[in-house]
Amino acid sequence: MTASTTTPSGDDAPLLAVDGLSVQFQTRRGTAHVLDEVGFTLARGQTLGLVGESGCGKSMTALAMMRLIPQPPGRIAAGSVRLHGRELLALPEAEMRRVRGNRLSMIFQEPMTSLNPVFTIGEQIAESVRLHLGLDRRAALAHAVDMLAAVGIPAPARRAHDYPHHFSGGMRQRAMIAMALACSPDALIADEPTTALDVTVQAQIFDLMAELRERTGTAILLITHDMGAVAEMADRVAVMYAGRIVEEGGVHDILERPLHPYTQGLVACAPGRRRTAPGETLREIPGTVPSLLRRAEACAFAERCEHARPLCRQRPPPGSQPASGRRVRCWLYPETTPADTASPA
Amino acid sequence: MSLFLLLAKRLAYALLLIAAVQAMNFTLIRAAPGDPAEVIAGEMGGADEAVMAQIRATYGLDQPVPLQYARYIVHSLTGDLGTSYLYSRPVVDLILERLGPTVLLVATALLLAMVIGTLLGVAASRRPDSAASGVITVLSLVGYAMPVFWTGILLVLLFGKVLPILPIAGMRDVRIYGDGWVVMLDVLHHLVLPALTLSLVYLAQYSRLARASMLEVLGTDYIRTARAKGLPESSVVYKHALRNALMPVVTVAGLQFGNLISGAVLVETVFSWPGLGTLALDAILGRDYPTVLGVLTCSAALVIVANLLTDLAYRWLDPRLRGRR
């Protein structure tokens, strides 16, 4: 890293800082504003839970940070993603490849299809080790075996020569984690890592991630719609709705005292957070997510919000900081000084 | 399934299949009009009834058809496919003489079609909306739509008249003799046009297939994983995607091997290539039943071998077919 790309603040700067990230997709029916000024920070060893319902832009945020959005039709329209103060969005592609899988890693939702069926597990882990750490074939494979052992695969030296179809879903996700952590990245993006797995395996995977975080100090961006997983894993939580972060704060604040009506709905919906009497219907948030084709000139949640006022349908709410370490985008909380005003209107 | 079991099973199937092919061909040829004895007599410049009867007796044509069939089967089990009426030589010798050139032609054409077709398809899939991709698609369609004999005749016209740099007939130049490299180069020189002609149709098909298959594979989760690892694009495309995308190409190539052999008959005829195709054509026109049957048996065997090779290639490409170690 060169001095010119490092911010002068040095140690004070967060490990990973995403700011004003906007992504657009060109579609037949117009431009879809998939991400709209998404921002959050992640400190070393910390876990940030990124929550929201399907299609709100959680995975797109991850892909944009990795610069893996298919373009065209996608485009990162604005924003910044800084790792150790270094701007990733400005890097040449060849430099960015040295960051992917090395400093910033990612594991995906679908362990069943995320591994290449025609290469052995060991080869696939060793591949990034050879690429980023410059080890030779034999040393890289030995490192891959160590990683498989670290994620709890029994008989790793033998299983390294297995193909993905020899592994169960949980084992494949362990192998994916081994692959992602093989080069000791600074940060790991886990995009719904347990959605496709059954409940007991989910718990094992979360335990494994927590353990590895303790051991390596890797920061984790945990993308999920499982509030239980967030409660267990995350230090901080960012809530996304329709391509925007509507609330951010510490995990206890968010779960115990959610401010944004959408977060309140989300927390109330989570089964298991609150005892549900037999026969009682599970809570839901009425309505559906608005189309992303119109860049909202109002609060995107207004149509579904029980507190909506005329103002909510006229202008998008500015971000405000009702308490230290908390941010919320809602007209219900305008009383505190806005951290950053939206439009000069 | 272990490799040994697979091979044993395939061999048993192959023998049964060849027996069935022989039975069917034998019946069909006998059902066709025409009397070989008359053709043989015609070759000799005419003959009376006594001579005709003698010819029939010599070749066993006076026996009942079921008996002829039984004899044919028994003989073919010992590696004797009879004697050609036309060339008065053992059919096995004729076939062995012609087998080499045909295998050379078909294998070269198949290899060209698969390698170039796949590379074109991959190139087209990299930028599916680009002009280059469009050009490849159009060329593929044209190549696919042209009948192989017509392509052959056009190439003969081009290289025989306009641009005489490539030989348009035969496999060897009578003025060139010797051994080793000289002969090999001469044969390769003669091979260019027939192999190109035969490969064009398949090249077109495989490039379209490879393009579609690559586009599908490039959208899969494991390709996203490969990119997330920080692999360079060439490694993503040629290592991670191509091997998966090859499977449909190999499948279709295996299935079409029979068509390739019938295409070879036409190409050999156009370019006077001394292979099984020209032998079969001459044998059919001359009512040379033993030779026709022999060639058909031989091409059935070729197709069976090709299918076996396809299966082996498949097992090599896709570890899921190999089973547990």
Side-chain angles (χ1 to χ4, degrees), chain B residues 193-220:
Chain B
L193 285 185
L196 192 70
T197 307
L198 185 55
S199 72
L200 267 180
V201 172
Y202 299 96
L203 194 153
Q205 282 187 49
Y206 298 160
S207 70
R208 285 164 59 78
L209 198 62
R211 178 179 180 273
S213 175
M214 276 300 280
L215 280 176
E216 193 186 316
V217 170
L218 284 174
T220 58

PDB file of all heavy atoms in Angstrom, chain B residues 193-220:
ATOM      1  N   LEU B 193      -7.911 -30.232 -47.744  1.00  0.00           N
ATOM      2  CA  LEU B 193      -9.250 -29.913 -48.248  1.00  0.00           C
ATOM      3  C   LEU B 193     -10.324 -30.901 -47.794  1.00  0.00           C
ATOM      4  O   LEU B 193     -11.376 -30.468 -47.315  1.00  0.00           O
ATOM      5  CB  LEU B 193      -9.217 -29.793 -49.771  1.00  0.00           C
ATOM      6  CG  LEU B 193      -8.584 -28.497 -50.290  1.00  0.00           C
ATOM      7  CD1 LEU B 193      -8.706 -28.416 -51.801  1.00  0.00           C
ATOM      8  CD2 LEU B 193      -9.222 -27.287 -49.648  1.00  0.00           C
ATOM      9  N   PRO B 194     -10.103 -32.207 -47.934  1.00  0.00           N
ATOM     10  CA  PRO B 194     -11.164 -33.124 -47.471  1.00  0.00           C
ATOM     11  C   PRO B 194     -11.482 -32.957 -45.983  1.00  0.00           C
ATOM     12  O   PRO B 194     -12.656 -32.896 -45.600  1.00  0.00           O
ATOM     13  CB  PRO B 194     -10.581 -34.522 -47.724  1.00  0.00           C
ATOM     14  CG  PRO B 194      -9.472 -34.346 -48.662  1.00  0.00           C
ATOM     15  CD  PRO B 194      -9.006 -32.937 -48.558  1.00  0.00           C
ATOM     16  N   ALA B 195     -10.439 -32.821 -45.165  1.00  0.00           N
ATOM     17  CA  ALA B 195     -10.674 -32.710 -43.721  1.00  0.00           C
ATOM     18  C   ALA B 195     -11.413 -31.417 -43.410  1.00  0.00           C
ATOM     19  O   ALA B 195     -12.360 -31.392 -42.610  1.00  0.00           O
ATOM     20  CB  ALA B 195      -9.353 -32.758 -42.966  1.00  0.00           C
ATOM     21  N   LEU B 196     -11.023 -30.328 -44.083  1.00  0.00           N
ATOM     22  CA  LEU B 196     -11.671 -29.038 -43.864  1.00  0.00           C
ATOM     23  C   LEU B 196     -13.151 -29.130 -44.245  1.00  0.00           C
ATOM     24  O   LEU B 196     -14.037 -28.691 -43.508  1.00  0.00           O
ATOM     25  CB  LEU B 196     -10.967 -27.973 -44.700  1.00  0.00           C
ATOM     26  CG  LEU B 196     -11.327 -26.534 -44.365  1.00  0.00           C
ATOM     27  CD1 LEU B 196     -10.748 -26.186 -42.997  1.00  0.00           C
ATOM     28  CD2 LEU B 196     -10.768 -25.591 -45.425  1.00  0.00           C
ATOM     29  N   THR B 197     -13.404 -29.731 -45.422  1.00  0.00           N
ATOM     30  CA  THR B 197     -14.776 -29.849 -45.902  1.00  0.00           C
ATOM     31  C   THR B 197     -15.641 -30.624 -44.910  1.00  0.00           C
ATOM     32  O   THR B 197     -16.727 -30.195 -44.532  1.00  0.00           O
ATOM     33  CB  THR B 197     -14.797 -30.601 -47.250  1.00  0.00           C
ATOM     34  OG1 THR B 197     -13.889 -29.951 -48.123  1.00  0.00           O
ATOM     35  CG2 THR B 197     -16.178 -30.615 -47.846  1.00  0.00           C
ATOM     36  N   LEU B 198     -15.099 -31.773 -44.487  1.00  0.00           N
ATOM     37  CA  LEU B 198     -15.874 -32.628 -43.585  1.00  0.00           C
ATOM     38  C   LEU B 198     -16.081 -31.948 -42.240  1.00  0.00           C
ATOM     39  O   LEU B 198     -17.120 -32.108 -41.593  1.00  0.00           O
ATOM     40  CB  LEU B 198     -15.150 -33.971 -43.409  1.00  0.00           C
ATOM     41  CG  LEU B 198     -15.882 -35.043 -42.592  1.00  0.00           C
ATOM     42  CD1 LEU B 198     -17.260 -35.300 -43.173  1.00  0.00           C
ATOM     43  CD2 LEU B 198     -15.069 -36.337 -42.570  1.00  0.00           C
ATOM     44  N   SER B 199     -15.098 -31.147 -41.807  1.00  0.00           N
ATOM     45  CA  SER B 199     -15.195 -30.577 -40.460  1.00  0.00           C
ATOM     46  C   SER B 199     -16.122 -29.368 -40.405  1.00  0.00           C
ATOM     47  O   SER B 199     -16.643 -29.050 -39.343  1.00  0.00           O
ATOM     48  CB  SER B 199     -13.813 -30.192 -39.950  1.00  0.00           C
ATOM     49  OG  SER B 199     -13.350 -29.064 -40.635  1.00  0.00           O
ATOM     50  N   LEU B 200     -16.322 -28.689 -41.559  1.00  0.00           N
ATOM     51  CA  LEU B 200     -17.026 -27.393 -41.512  1.00  0.00           C
ATOM     52  C   LEU B 200     -18.390 -27.462 -40.838  1.00  0.00           C
ATOM     53  O   LEU B 200     -18.707 -26.658 -39.961  1.00  0.00           O
ATOM     54  CB  LEU B 200     -17.175 -26.812 -42.918  1.00  0.00           C
ATOM     55  CG  LEU B 200     -16.058 -25.858 -43.329  1.00  0.00           C
ATOM     56  CD1 LEU B 200     -16.287 -25.336 -44.733  1.00  0.00           C
ATOM     57  CD2 LEU B 200     -15.960 -24.698 -42.342  1.00  0.00           C
ATOM     58  N   VAL B 201     -19.207 -28.439 -41.239  1.00  0.00           N
ATOM     59  CA  VAL B 201     -20.551 -28.545 -40.685  1.00  0.00           C
ATOM     60  C   VAL B 201     -20.485 -28.725 -39.172  1.00  0.00           C
ATOM     61  O   VAL B 201     -21.216 -28.077 -38.416  1.00  0.00           O
ATOM     62  CB  VAL B 201     -21.290 -29.741 -41.301  1.00  0.00           C
ATOM     63  CG1 VAL B 201     -22.604 -29.982 -40.592  1.00  0.00           C
ATOM     64  CG2 VAL B 201     -21.529 -29.498 -42.769  1.00  0.00           C
ATOM     65  N   TYR B 202     -19.565 -29.583 -38.740  1.00  0.00           N
ATOM     66  CA  TYR B 202     -19.486 -29.888 -37.316  1.00  0.00           C
ATOM     67  C   TYR B 202     -18.851 -28.742 -36.547  1.00  0.00           C
ATOM     68  O   TYR B 202     -19.237 -28.440 -35.423  1.00  0.00           O
ATOM     69  CB  TYR B 202     -18.731 -31.205 -37.116  1.00  0.00           C
ATOM     70  CG  TYR B 202     -19.466 -32.312 -37.809  1.00  0.00           C
ATOM     71  CD1 TYR B 202     -19.108 -32.723 -39.087  1.00  0.00           C
ATOM     72  CD2 TYR B 202     -20.598 -32.874 -37.221  1.00  0.00           C
ATOM     73  CE1 TYR B 202     -19.828 -33.686 -39.743  1.00  0.00           C
ATOM     74  CE2 TYR B 202     -21.320 -33.837 -37.871  1.00  0.00           C
ATOM     75  CZ  TYR B 202     -20.942 -34.248 -39.143  1.00  0.00           C
ATOM     76  OH  TYR B 202     -21.665 -35.185 -39.788  1.00  0.00           O
ATOM     77  N   LEU B 203     -17.870 -28.105 -37.201  1.00  0.00           N
ATOM     78  CA  LEU B 203     -17.248 -26.928 -36.597  1.00  0.00           C
ATOM     79  C   LEU B 203     -18.326 -25.891 -36.281  1.00  0.00           C
ATOM     80  O   LEU B 203     -18.359 -25.313 -35.190  1.00  0.00           O
ATOM     81  CB  LEU B 203     -16.232 -26.374 -37.581  1.00  0.00           C
ATOM     82  CG  LEU B 203     -15.215 -25.351 -37.103  1.00  0.00           C
ATOM     83  CD1 LEU B 203     -13.979 -25.448 -37.984  1.00  0.00           C
ATOM     84  CD2 LEU B 203     -15.762 -23.957 -37.187  1.00  0.00           C
ATOM     85  N   ALA B 204     -19.214 -25.692 -37.244  1.00  0.00           N
ATOM     86  CA  ALA B 204     -20.283 -24.716 -37.047  1.00  0.00           C
ATOM     87  C   ALA B 204     -21.163 -25.120 -35.868  1.00  0.00           C
ATOM     88  O   ALA B 204     -21.482 -24.313 -34.996  1.00  0.00           O
ATOM     89  CB  ALA B 204     -21.112 -24.611 -38.315  1.00  0.00           C
ATOM     90  N   GLN B 205     -21.528 -26.393 -35.849  1.00  0.00           N
ATOM     91  CA  GLN B 205     -22.399 -26.858 -34.766  1.00  0.00           C
ATOM     92  C   GLN B 205     -21.734 -26.744 -33.406  1.00  0.00           C
ATOM     93  O   GLN B 205     -22.343 -26.299 -32.438  1.00  0.00           O
ATOM     94  CB  GLN B 205     -22.754 -28.326 -34.983  1.00  0.00           C
ATOM     95  CG  GLN B 205     -23.807 -28.542 -36.023  1.00  0.00           C
ATOM     96  CD  GLN B 205     -24.221 -29.996 -36.061  1.00  0.00           C
ATOM     97  OE1 GLN B 205     -24.512 -30.600 -35.046  1.00  0.00           O
ATOM     98  NE2 GLN B 205     -24.213 -30.560 -37.247  1.00  0.00           N
ATOM     99  N   TYR B 206     -20.455 -27.151 -33.346  1.00  0.00           N
ATOM    100  CA  TYR B 206     -19.789 -27.166 -32.049  1.00  0.00           C
ATOM    101  C   TYR B 206     -19.555 -25.752 -31.544  1.00  0.00           C
ATOM    102  O   TYR B 206     -19.562 -25.516 -30.341  1.00  0.00           O
ATOM    103  CB  TYR B 206     -18.471 -27.932 -32.111  1.00  0.00           C
ATOM    104  CG  TYR B 206     -18.645 -29.385 -32.476  1.00  0.00           C
ATOM    105  CD1 TYR B 206     -17.604 -30.136 -32.976  1.00  0.00           C
ATOM    106  CD2 TYR B 206     -19.891 -30.002 -32.343  1.00  0.00           C
ATOM    107  CE1 TYR B 206     -17.780 -31.464 -33.331  1.00  0.00           C
ATOM    108  CE2 TYR B 206     -20.074 -31.311 -32.687  1.00  0.00           C
ATOM    109  CZ  TYR B 206     -19.023 -32.042 -33.186  1.00  0.00           C
ATOM    110  OH  TYR B 206     -19.206 -33.344 -33.540  1.00  0.00           O
ATOM    111  N   SER B 207     -19.316 -24.807 -32.464  1.00  0.00           N
ATOM    112  CA  SER B 207     -19.086 -23.449 -31.989  1.00  0.00           C
ATOM    113  C   SER B 207     -20.369 -22.881 -31.398  1.00  0.00           C
ATOM    114  O   SER B 207     -20.346 -22.196 -30.376  1.00  0.00           O
ATOM    115  CB  SER B 207     -18.544 -22.557 -33.102  1.00  0.00           C
ATOM    116  OG  SER B 207     -19.541 -22.306 -34.052  1.00  0.00           O
ATOM    117  N   ARG B 208     -21.504 -23.195 -32.022  1.00  0.00           N
ATOM    118  CA  ARG B 208     -22.773 -22.730 -31.458  1.00  0.00           C
ATOM    119  C   ARG B 208     -23.045 -23.388 -30.099  1.00  0.00           C
ATOM    120  O   ARG B 208     -23.461 -22.747 -29.138  1.00  0.00           O
ATOM    121  CB  ARG B 208     -23.931 -23.046 -32.420  1.00  0.00           C
ATOM    122  CG  ARG B 208     -23.956 -22.129 -33.615  1.00  0.00           C
ATOM    123  CD  ARG B 208     -24.808 -22.669 -34.715  1.00  0.00           C
ATOM    124  NE  ARG B 208     -26.199 -22.887 -34.312  1.00  0.00           N
ATOM    125  CZ  ARG B 208     -27.088 -21.913 -34.202  1.00  0.00           C
ATOM    126  NH1 ARG B 208     -26.737 -20.683 -34.444  1.00  0.00           N
ATOM    127  NH2 ARG B 208     -28.321 -22.171 -33.842  1.00  0.00           N
ATOM    128  N   LEU B 209     -22.766 -24.681 -30.076  1.00  0.00           N
ATOM    129  CA  LEU B 209     -22.983 -25.429 -28.835  1.00  0.00           C
ATOM    130  C   LEU B 209     -22.069 -24.917 -27.722  1.00  0.00           C
ATOM    131  O   LEU B 209     -22.507 -24.696 -26.589  1.00  0.00           O
ATOM    132  CB  LEU B 209     -22.695 -26.900 -29.123  1.00  0.00           C
ATOM    133  CG  LEU B 209     -23.226 -27.921 -28.146  1.00  0.00           C
ATOM    134  CD1 LEU B 209     -24.733 -27.852 -28.126  1.00  0.00           C
ATOM    135  CD2 LEU B 209     -22.765 -29.314 -28.567  1.00  0.00           C
ATOM    136  N   ALA B 210     -20.795 -24.715 -28.077  1.00  0.00           N
ATOM    137  CA  ALA B 210     -19.830 -24.262 -27.066  1.00  0.00           C
ATOM    138  C   ALA B 210     -20.206 -22.868 -26.573  1.00  0.00           C
ATOM    139  O   ALA B 210     -20.084 -22.566 -25.390  1.00  0.00           O
ATOM    140  CB  ALA B 210     -18.413 -24.257 -27.647  1.00  0.00           C
ATOM    141  N   ARG B 211     -20.691 -22.025 -27.469  1.00  0.00           N
ATOM    142  CA  ARG B 211     -21.079 -20.666 -27.072  1.00  0.00           C
ATOM    143  C   ARG B 211     -22.216 -20.729 -26.055  1.00  0.00           C
ATOM    144  O   ARG B 211     -22.145 -20.130 -24.981  1.00  0.00           O
ATOM    145  CB  ARG B 211     -21.519 -19.873 -28.309  1.00  0.00           C
ATOM    146  CG  ARG B 211     -21.989 -18.470 -27.996  1.00  0.00           C
ATOM    147  CD  ARG B 211     -22.393 -17.737 -29.273  1.00  0.00           C
ATOM    148  NE  ARG B 211     -22.841 -16.390 -28.995  1.00  0.00           N
ATOM    149  CZ  ARG B 211     -24.092 -16.082 -28.679  1.00  0.00           C
ATOM    150  NH1 ARG B 211     -25.000 -17.042 -28.603  1.00  0.00           N
ATOM    151  NH2 ARG B 211     -24.434 -14.844 -28.421  1.00  0.00           N
ATOM    152  N   ALA B 212     -23.261 -21.506 -26.399  1.00  0.00           N
ATOM    153  CA  ALA B 212     -24.414 -21.607 -25.494  1.00  0.00           C
ATOM    154  C   ALA B 212     -23.994 -22.206 -24.159  1.00  0.00           C
ATOM    155  O   ALA B 212     -24.374 -21.735 -23.082  1.00  0.00           O
ATOM    156  CB  ALA B 212     -25.499 -22.454 -26.140  1.00  0.00           C
ATOM    157  N   SER B 213     -23.178 -23.248 -24.242  1.00  0.00           N
ATOM    158  CA  SER B 213     -22.759 -23.951 -23.037  1.00  0.00           C
ATOM    159  C   SER B 213     -21.886 -23.053 -22.160  1.00  0.00           C
ATOM    160  O   SER B 213     -22.036 -23.016 -20.936  1.00  0.00           O
ATOM    161  CB  SER B 213     -22.012 -25.200 -23.488  1.00  0.00           C
ATOM    162  OG  SER B 213     -21.470 -25.874 -22.428  1.00  0.00           O
ATOM    163  N   MET B 214     -20.986 -22.291 -22.790  1.00  0.00           N
ATOM    164  CA  MET B 214     -20.131 -21.374 -22.033  1.00  0.00           C
ATOM    165  C   MET B 214     -20.967 -20.282 -21.363  1.00  0.00           C
ATOM    166  O   MET B 214     -20.723 -19.935 -20.217  1.00  0.00           O
ATOM    167  CB  MET B 214     -19.107 -20.705 -22.955  1.00  0.00           C
ATOM    168  CG  MET B 214     -17.862 -21.493 -23.211  1.00  0.00           C
ATOM    169  SD  MET B 214     -16.921 -21.881 -21.732  1.00  0.00           S
ATOM    170  CE  MET B 214     -16.071 -20.342 -21.465  1.00  0.00           C
ATOM    171  N   LEU B 215     -21.932 -19.750 -22.112  1.00  0.00           N
ATOM    172  CA  LEU B 215     -22.759 -18.682 -21.539  1.00  0.00           C
ATOM    173  C   LEU B 215     -23.462 -19.191 -20.290  1.00  0.00           C
ATOM    174  O   LEU B 215     -23.589 -18.479 -19.293  1.00  0.00           O
ATOM    175  CB  LEU B 215     -23.789 -18.198 -22.565  1.00  0.00           C
ATOM    176  CG  LEU B 215     -23.242 -17.218 -23.593  1.00  0.00           C
ATOM    177  CD1 LEU B 215     -24.301 -16.867 -24.629  1.00  0.00           C
ATOM    178  CD2 LEU B 215     -22.738 -15.955 -22.908  1.00  0.00           C
ATOM    179  N   GLU B 216     -23.910 -20.447 -20.349  1.00  0.00           N
ATOM    180  CA  GLU B 216     -24.589 -21.014 -19.191  1.00  0.00           C
ATOM    181  C   GLU B 216     -23.613 -21.177 -18.020  1.00  0.00           C
ATOM    182  O   GLU B 216     -23.897 -20.760 -16.903  1.00  0.00           O
ATOM    183  CB  GLU B 216     -25.188 -22.362 -19.578  1.00  0.00           C
ATOM    184  CG  GLU B 216     -26.167 -22.876 -18.552  1.00  0.00           C
ATOM    185  CD  GLU B 216     -26.629 -24.276 -18.893  1.00  0.00           C
ATOM    186  OE1 GLU B 216     -26.937 -24.530 -20.071  1.00  0.00           O
ATOM    187  OE2 GLU B 216     -26.658 -25.106 -17.973  1.00  0.00           O
ATOM    188  N   VAL B 217     -22.450 -21.765 -18.321  1.00  0.00           N
ATOM    189  CA  VAL B 217     -21.489 -22.034 -17.247  1.00  0.00           C
ATOM    190  C   VAL B 217     -20.977 -20.726 -16.632  1.00  0.00           C
ATOM    191  O   VAL B 217     -20.807 -20.626 -15.423  1.00  0.00           O
ATOM    192  CB  VAL B 217     -20.324 -22.887 -17.780  1.00  0.00           C
ATOM    193  CG1 VAL B 217     -19.215 -22.976 -16.755  1.00  0.00           C
ATOM    194  CG2 VAL B 217     -20.815 -24.277 -18.130  1.00  0.00           C
ATOM    195  N   LEU B 218     -20.769 -19.702 -17.475  1.00  0.00           N
ATOM    196  CA  LEU B 218     -20.225 -18.439 -16.951  1.00  0.00           C
ATOM    197  C   LEU B 218     -21.184 -17.767 -15.975  1.00  0.00           C
ATOM    198  O   LEU B 218     -20.783 -16.899 -15.213  1.00  0.00           O
ATOM    199  CB  LEU B 218     -19.894 -17.486 -18.107  1.00  0.00           C
ATOM    200  CG  LEU B 218     -18.623 -17.836 -18.880  1.00  0.00           C
ATOM    201  CD1 LEU B 218     -18.448 -16.935 -20.091  1.00  0.00           C
ATOM    202  CD2 LEU B 218     -17.396 -17.735 -17.985  1.00  0.00           C
ATOM    203  N   GLY B 219     -22.461 -18.178 -16.009  1.00  0.00           N
ATOM    204  CA  GLY B 219     -23.415 -17.596 -15.075  1.00  0.00           C
ATOM    205  C   GLY B 219     -23.571 -18.391 -13.783  1.00  0.00           C
ATOM    206  O   GLY B 219     -24.386 -18.047 -12.944  1.00  0.00           O
ATOM    207  N   THR B 220     -22.785 -19.450 -13.628  1.00  0.00           N
ATOM    208  CA  THR B 220     -22.995 -20.309 -12.455  1.00  0.00           C
ATOM    209  C   THR B 220     -22.314 -19.741 -11.210  1.00  0.00           C
ATOM    210  O   THR B 220     -21.458 -18.872 -11.286  1.00  0.00           O
ATOM    211  CB  THR B 220     -22.427 -21.723 -12.683  1.00  0.00           C
ATOM    212  OG1 THR B 220     -21.044 -21.598 -12.988  1.00  0.00           O
ATOM    213  CG2 THR B 220     -23.144 -22.432 -13.807  1.00  0.00           C
TER     214      THR B 220
END
